[in-house]
Amino acid sequence: REPYEFLMSLLVFGHRNPDTDAICSALAYAEYLRRSTRPDAVAACCGPPNQRTEFVLRRAGLQAPRLVMDVRPQVEDICRREIVTASLGDSFHDAYRRMKDGDLRAIPVVDPHRRVVGVLSVLDLMDLFFRDSGNATRARTVATSLQTMCDVLGGSYQHALEPDQRDELLVMVGAMSAEGFTARMEAYPNHRLVVVCGDRPTIQLPAIEHGVRALVITGGFKLSAGLVELAKARKVSVVLSPFDTVNTTLRLKSSQFIDPVVDTDVLTLPAKATAAEVRGAVERSTQPVFPVVGDDGVLVGLAFKSDVLNPPRPQLVLVDHNELAQAVAGADESEIVEVLDHHRLGGGLKSTQPIRFVNEPVGSTCTLVARQFRGAGLEPGPAIALCMASGIISDTLHLRSPTTTDIDRDMLAWLEPLCGEDLVAYAREFFEVGSALRSKATAEVIREDCKEFTEHGVRFSISQIEEMGFELFWERKDDLRQALEEFARRQGLDFAALLVTDVVSNGSVLLLSRESEAWEEINYPRLDRGLYELKNVVSRKKQLLPLVSQVLAGA
């Protein structure tokens, strides 16, 4: 999976199961766009190059396009990576300060291994601060430790006893007469009391004698030496605060542990899920933020609802195809800004804005790319020139296919001196390389340059391979038929077909996974079950597809 920064470039894609023309036109057109209007253009592919294409890339000294199987943004692509977190045992003060510094209204709460245990929001914190205001005892209760109190105050100790112990403390302010304070103090358990007072020995002494948990001296004052000794004897901790009594009391309230208000029933989002996959759950949730976790449960980022519901849309240029069924996964959720193709118009492609759409009846998409270079007065380097020439040679069977036009011949003639190659000898080498029947497993053969179509309500695929003769096909015919049947069943197709073209005789054989009675009307010899001889047929788009459409129309 490529970094999301790459996905936000302009991606130039050929079709799935790409052939040489798809790969080469993507590379060449991305180069053209970089040199003309879009310096961020990047060639990509949604399938690995076949052996013949690899031969071209090696000969030209070019890297294959980046392999991207899905352009839909994953949650990890759109989440915020630089995040602040809280942990159980953190104080209100610390958690709120992190939220404020990060301009966040909620943060994830994690354990020591950064696994998510919940989410803490500002509203949760406010509930912690103001809850139970009608109950005097609960309103003055602070679940914390003396050390946390001291840290929040930025204070110091004159005496400390078990400062890290977690306690449910009751905060009292000694702001009344000594008699009234003493009477009220004795109504509460002494081991839970924290008394806040300034430089008032008449409050300090009875509090120490009562054996309170801690005495907090405000205003920067200190306890006298005699009272410190008495505090030690009565096991009373003494904390010094630099703040006045009001601000000290507020800070003591903010030293509470966040634990009681952490929402532990939270929706976390898998980092590898696409935004589309989690959109429904996020839309229904009332959570303020969504922790994003890896497969190991460890926090990797934080997503907001708007991130998931309205993720950035990748920009795509489609070359050598115009049907969404043949495009990279996620193309239907992307912004398609341009199409450059030489096939029939397919279904499903829509745009919200006008786009540049070039679709011409030539033999190769690389022909159209070469014409763009020449028309703009841009001379391609030898590598890109050979790349385009290879696409033309591949798709026109070196100008022998019936799809070949004068434009293809003209562009190949323009490219030849720029390539630094004898294209006649090069074409011979090209077709000798990479026999799919010689080098690939049966299942891989039928995926070679495989395209899916829908005609007259029938969904099917046609794969095409070029071979030097049919000898290997006859040896593997039965295995290929079985693989086609399995492929059609697994993909939910009405049938799957394999067109095997002999570049020497300029003819083909067609193998079908299933044939209906309509196939009896086909005007080509039937050699075996689901097998037809198609003399002088070498083009899937111009010869075979119209034939199949005609057969299906009469079914």
Side-chain angles (χ1 to χ4, degrees):
R1 174 84 182 185
E2 294 288 345
Y4 194 56
E5 292 76 12
F6 162 69
L7 292 180
M8 295 314 294
S9 304
L10 176 64
L11 304 180
V12 183
F13 267 101
H15 53 75
R16 299 182 193 181
N17 307 306
D19 58 4
T20 300
D21 192 36
I23 294 285
C24 289
S25 59
L27 284 167
Y29 200 50
E31 172 71 8
Y32 169 78
L33 290 171
R34 282 194 297 272
R35 292 178 59 182
S36 56
T37 58
R38 290 295 298 261
D40 63 332
V42 178
C45 59
C46 47
N50 60 33
Q51 283 187 289
R52 285 193 179 123
T53 309
E54 288 178 344
F55 164 78
V56 172
L57 297 176
R58 283 195 304 270
R59 190 71 158 256
L62 293 171
Q63 292 291 324
R66 300 199 194 192
L67 182 63
V68 182
M69 302 304 293
D70 194 330
V71 295
R72 292 175 296 179
Q74 293 179 340
V75 177
E76 66 178 348
D77 297 326
I78 58 178
C79 71
R80 321 291 172 92
R81 295 301 188 110
E82 298 297 324
I83 55 173
V84 294
T85 63
S87 300
L88 296 178
D90 284 350
S91 68
F92 171 108
H93 177 269
D94 288 344
Y96 178 73
R97 187 184 61 202
R98 288 176 209 157
M99 288 185 192
K100 185 177 179 182
D101 291 346
D103 193 24
L104 297 167
R105 58 193 179 104
I107 56 177
V109 180
V110 297
D111 68 11
H113 303 290
R114 283 185 67 81
R115 290 186 173 87
V116 176
V117 297
V119 166
L120 179 70
S121 71
V122 172
L123 290 178
D124 295 331
L125 285 177
M126 292 304 103
D127 182 59
L128 182 66
F129 205 83
F130 293 109
R131 66 179 179 171
D132 301 315
S133 56
N135 183 312
T137 300
R138 290 185 61 82
R140 67 175 71 248
T141 300
V142 177
T144 185
S145 68
L146 291 186
Q147 186 60 55
T148 303
M149 281 186 167
C150 191
D151 291 342
V152 169
L153 290 168
S156 60
Y157 296 110
Q158 276 191 286
H159 173 57
L161 184 69
E162 297 181 330
D164 294 319
Q165 178 179 296
R166 295 171 68 107
D167 294 306
E168 283 209 350
L169 302 171
L170 299 170
V171 177
M172 285 191 65
V173 179
M176 59 190 76
S177 68
E179 295 79 10
F181 170 75
T182 301
R184 182 170 294 186
M185 178 178 62
E186 290 176 350
Y188 298 103
N190 64 334
H191 67 281
R192 293 181 59 195
L193 279 174
V194 172
V195 173
V196 181
C197 67
D199 188 21
R200 299 183 62 185
T202 56
I203 297 295
Q204 296 166 357
L205 179 58
I208 295 172
E209 289 179 336
H210 188 58
V212 298
R213 177 70 176 96
L215 185 62
V216 180
I217 309 300
T218 65
F221 295 108
K222 291 185 177 182
L223 205 59
S224 67
L227 288 180
V228 170
E229 291 305 313
L230 180 60
K232 290 179 180 177
R234 298 305 299 268
K235 297 183 179 180
V236 175
S237 296
V238 180
V239 181
L240 305 181
S241 169
F243 299 101
D244 62 22
T245 300
V246 172
N247 284 302
T248 295
T249 305
L250 288 173
R251 284 187 171 250
L252 290 182
K253 286 278 285 182
S254 74
S255 72
Q256 296 180 80
F257 294 134
I258 63 173
D259 304 27
V261 294
V262 172
D263 183 5
T264 57
D265 184 19
V266 296
L267 172 67
T268 59
L269 305 181
K272 298 297 183 183
T274 66
E277 289 171 335
V278 301
R279 185 176 294 136
V282 168
E283 197 165 21
R284 292 188 296 271
S285 175
T286 58
Q287 279 179 219
V289 295
F290 299 87
V292 179
V293 299
D295 294 339
D296 54 3
V298 173
L299 181 72
V300 300
L302 193 67
F304 294 86
K305 183 170 286 190
S306 59
D307 297 333
V308 177
L309 300 185
N310 299 295
R313 299 174 67 200
Q315 289 191 322
L316 308 183
V317 172
L318 306 185
V319 296
D320 201 34
H321 68 301
N322 67 77
E323 299 187 47
L324 287 179
Q326 298 172 9
V328 62
D332 56 335
E333 298 178 34
S334 303
E335 181 185 357
I336 298 173
V337 300
E338 189 172 349
V339 175
L340 191 66
D341 190 22
H342 68 131
H343 294 93
R344 68 167 194 171
L345 291 178
L349 186 63
K350 297 179 181 179
S351 69
T352 57
Q353 300 291 332
I355 66 171
R356 186 169 186 270
F357 194 106
V358 176
N359 188 280
E360 296 192 32
V362 295
S364 164
T365 303
C366 280
T367 295
L368 301 176
V369 180
R371 193 175 65 182
Q372 291 282 93
F373 271 96
R374 192 169 74 170
L378 296 174
E379 184 176 291
I384 292 297
L386 183 59
C387 186
M388 289 188 282
S390 300
I392 297 172
I393 289 169
S394 174
D395 256 27
T396 66
L397 300 182
H398 199 194
L399 306 179
R400 288 184 296 162
S401 167
T403 62
T404 305
T405 67
D406 288 341
I407 301 174
D408 298 299
R409 297 183 183 93
D410 184 28
M411 287 300 102
L412 192 60
W414 179 69
L415 289 169
E416 183 160 14
L418 302 176
C419 295
E421 290 272 0
D422 175 357
L423 291 186
V424 173
Y426 174 80
R428 189 180 307 114
E429 286 186 69
F430 172 83
F431 287 115
E432 287 174 351
V433 166
S435 162
L437 291 175
R438 187 178 303 280
S439 61
K440 292 185 180 293
T442 306
E444 293 176 319
V445 171
I446 61 173
R447 289 191 182 91
E448 185 95 350
D449 190 13
C450 178
K451 291 185 177 180
E452 186 180 306
F453 306 93
T454 301
E455 290 284 332
H456 305 288
V458 178
R459 186 164 161 257
F460 59 98
S461 70
I462 302 177
S463 306
Q464 183 173 18
I465 58 174
E466 288 99 16
E467 298 287 325
M468 303 287 282
F470 293 121
E471 291 81 4
L472 291 172
F473 170 76
W474 296 119
E475 292 177 15
R476 302 182 62 178
K477 169 176 61 72
D478 294 336
D479 289 341
L480 289 167
R481 180 188 289 111
Q482 185 177 347
L484 281 173
E485 292 169 354
E486 173 62 22
F487 179 75
R489 185 192 63 77
R490 191 168 55 251
Q491 299 297 118
L493 302 172
D494 292 287
F495 68 90
L498 173 65
L499 184 68
V500 183
T501 299
D502 177 13
V503 298
V504 177
S505 67
N506 243 30
S508 301
V509 291
L510 177 67
L511 183 64
L512 302 168
S513 66
R514 185 182 69 84
E515 55 182 332
S516 66
E517 292 181 1
W519 288 97
E520 295 178 1
E521 302 301 320
I522 193 170
N523 294 320
Y524 289 94
R526 185 176 187 269
L527 304 178
D528 194 358
R529 177 170 62 90
L531 180 61
Y532 294 85
E533 180 183 14
L534 276 57
K535 287 185 178 180
N536 301 317
V537 173
V538 296
S539 171
R540 172 173 48 193
K541 73 172 187 290
K542 192 167 183 178
Q543 295 174 296
L544 178 58
L545 191 56
L547 174 64
V548 172
S549 180
Q550 179 183 345
V551 169
L552 295 177

